[in-house]
Amino acid sequence: EDQVTQSPEALRLQEGESSSLNCSYTVSGLRGLFWYRQDPGKGPEFLFTLYSAGEEKEKERLKATLTKKESFLHITAPKPEDSATYLCAVQAPSGNTPLVFGKGTRLSVIA
Amino acid sequence: NAGVTQTPKFRVLKTGQSMTLLCAQDMNHEYMYWYRQDPGMGLRLIHYSVGEGTTAKGEVPDGYNVSRLKKQNFLLGLESAAPSQTSVYFCASSLQGNGYTFGSGTRLTVV
């Protein structure tokens, strides 16, 4: 069973067209939810960690939010350099439990 | 600081050959992980380690072995490579089991 489901699989935006990516999860007692950015041919790069419902984190044009069942990555006025695959991952309550990743959303921002 | 370094970056193997992938981190992290990434499948955990001398199986451990003889190194071995092991392999490390730092990946092709 999937613990982490990301949607959409791919998203194409015009430069300046704001949108949101979704990450829904089924882990009970979430310890943390993580967002990563991955550029082609590179390893994932850490963006945010969210720990509790209602929490928000921001970085430049990105804002991540968390509810009890899902997280959103909001992209405001995106630029072509925001094009990448965005990965969501969750960690179960046990401290040593490795992260479980979703399959990602591939974002393309067209100038 | 180099962070997480993976060697080699690319490799082509014939079916039945063996090889070892090396992951080295210079951040004094306790936790280290090996993931594989395949199109449409996302990142899947192969093996991980919560400290020097310890290893544990992940979601897809069959056909792989690992060793963590030194804190800074985590080796992934393929004893008899199969075409199904064609993938991009990522190593990651973390200090307290969250906020992973990833390497740049090893692209392995088994023919």
Side-chain angles (χ1 to χ4, degrees), chain A residues 50-103:
Chain A
L50 301 168
Y51 294 104
S52 57
E55 188 175 359
E56 299 183 352
K57 295 275 181 73
E58 287 190 65
K59 181 180 179 181
E60 296 181 357
R61 293 175 293 281
L62 301 177
K63 183 170 78 171
T65 62
L66 181 65
T67 71
K68 289 186 177 180
K69 293 186 176 182
E70 57 191 349
S71 176
F72 292 94
L73 185 65
H74 307 278
I75 303 175
T76 302
K79 298 182 178 182
E81 52 262 43
D82 294 321
S83 297
T85 296
Y86 291 86
L87 302 173
C88 171
V90 298
Q91 189 173 35
S94 171
N96 292 338
T97 304
L99 300 187
V100 176
F101 284 83
K103 296 179 181 179

Side-chain angles (χ1 to χ4, degrees), chain A residues 31 34 36 38 41-46 49 51 87 91 95-104, chain B residues 31 33 35 37 40-43 45 48 50 59 90 96-105 107:
Chain A
R31 185 168 186 239
F34 303 80
Y36 287 81
Q38 185 175 23
K42 296 188 177 181
E45 179 182 344
F46 173 75
T49 306
Y51 294 104
L87 302 173
Q91 189 173 35
N96 292 338
T97 304
L99 300 187
V100 176
F101 284 83
K103 296 179 181 179
Chain B
Y31 299 79
Y33 312 85
Y35 285 86
Q37 189 174 42
M41 299 297 292
L43 283 163
L45 182 66
Y48 65 103
V50 300
E59 179 187 356
F90 287 101
Q96 296 178 328
N98 55 16
Y100 293 5
T101 300
F102 281 86
S104 58
R107 185 173 296 273

Side-chain angles (χ1 to χ4, degrees), chain B residues 24-90:
Chain B
Q25 52 95 3
D26 62 1
M27 298 170 286
N28 202 35
H29 284 175
E30 288 293 334
Y31 299 79
M32 296 188 75
Y33 312 85
W34 277 107
Y35 285 86
R36 61 178 288 174
Q37 189 174 42
D38 303 289
M41 299 297 292
L43 283 163
R44 292 182 293 168
L45 182 66
I46 305 171
H47 287 280
Y48 65 103
S49 169
V50 300
E52 181 178 319
T54 73
T55 62
K57 294 180 179 180
E59 179 187 356
V60 289
D62 294 343
Y64 305 95
N65 57 77
V66 288
S67 64
R68 183 102 182 266
L69 298 180
K70 293 183 179 180
K71 185 177 184 179
Q72 63 268 33
N73 295 336
F74 195 27
L75 278 62
L76 178 70
L78 285 72
E79 295 176 343
S80 179
S84 61
Q85 294 178 305
T86 293
S87 186
V88 181
Y89 292 85
F90 287 101

